[in-house]
Amino acid sequence: MNVAGLAASEANKSRKGAEALLAAFDSIADRASLSHERILEKCLTHEVPDMFVEYGRLRDLMIVPVPEAYDQWYAEAVIFGTGKPTLVLPEGPRAKPFKLNTTVVAWDFSRAAARAIADAIPVLEIAKEVRIVTVANETVLDTKHSGEELAKNLSRHGIDVILENVDATGRSIGEVLETHAASCSADLLVMGAYGHSRLREFILGGATQSMLSKPPVPILFSH
């Protein structure tokens, strides 16, 4: 078996695939009259997450697609390593064009949720409808009035919101958010990402794990 030849052939296919994706990106950006930059680098597979993090720390937003057959390693590295918001886009037969008619914000008065809302303000300002959802009877909030105070703060940005409390009724937060997003035909979910890394093993919070493993809609994560 010609191992070297097979490796060279696979590397060539990978390079051509990357060039085709970049060409498609250039075409879409040109049609939308968007300023853009193309970057093509060669690295080993295990080096890709670190490269994403390196570039992500110098950008405003990272966008990561999530194919149905997917290793979460890349997205987790970006979310927890860049210090920047990350937009996770689901792929598959149910994927649809990205819109901003209805945006759902998961709110639990945590640091990560507060960070996510601060990062999402430019998006919330242009969304047609913003729903702030608090899941009741699943975790204990530090204050009873955080939803009202959050709505007051967002109103200063010209953002009118709908406050909603949804009872978990024995379900996980991930299940509640997925069901609620579907019930109001949400185009985007904004939520904090919970977890920490131990070397390359990421220990994720339950809601983060379930929503990241199979995002029902585009999700803007912040950590």
Side-chain angles (χ1 to χ4, degrees), residues 60-88:
D60 296 328
L61 172 71
M62 292 294 285
I63 302 175
V64 182
V66 182
E68 291 187 339
Y70 167 67
D71 185 344
Q72 290 180 198
W73 184 15
Y74 290 1
E76 290 167 4
V78 170
I79 292 169
F80 293 102
T82 61
K84 300 295 180 68
T86 302
L87 180 62
V88 173

Side-chain angles (χ1 to χ4, degrees), residues 97-152:
F98 184 65
K99 298 180 180 179
L100 276 175
N101 291 325
T102 300
T103 297
V104 171
V105 179
W107 176 243
D108 62 0
F109 197 60
S110 65
R111 186 206 65 80
R115 177 73 266 163
I117 290 174
D119 288 338
I121 281 178
V123 174
L124 301 181
E125 287 176 332
I126 61 176
K128 293 182 179 179
E129 182 178 81
V130 177
R131 294 174 174 266
I132 306 295
V133 178
T134 299
V135 180
N137 296 323
E138 210 284 336
T139 57
V140 179
L141 301 186
D142 294 334
T143 175
K144 296 180 180 179
H145 305 293
S146 66
E148 290 81 359
E149 290 299 315
L150 174 60
K152 185 189 301 182

Side-chain angles (χ1 to χ4, degrees), residues 1-24:
M1 180 182 294
N2 184 359
V3 176
L6 288 174
S9 175
E10 289 301 312
N12 186 53
K13 286 199 303 186
S14 178
R15 179 181 57 79
K16 288 184 176 180
E19 290 175 344
L21 288 173
L22 285 172

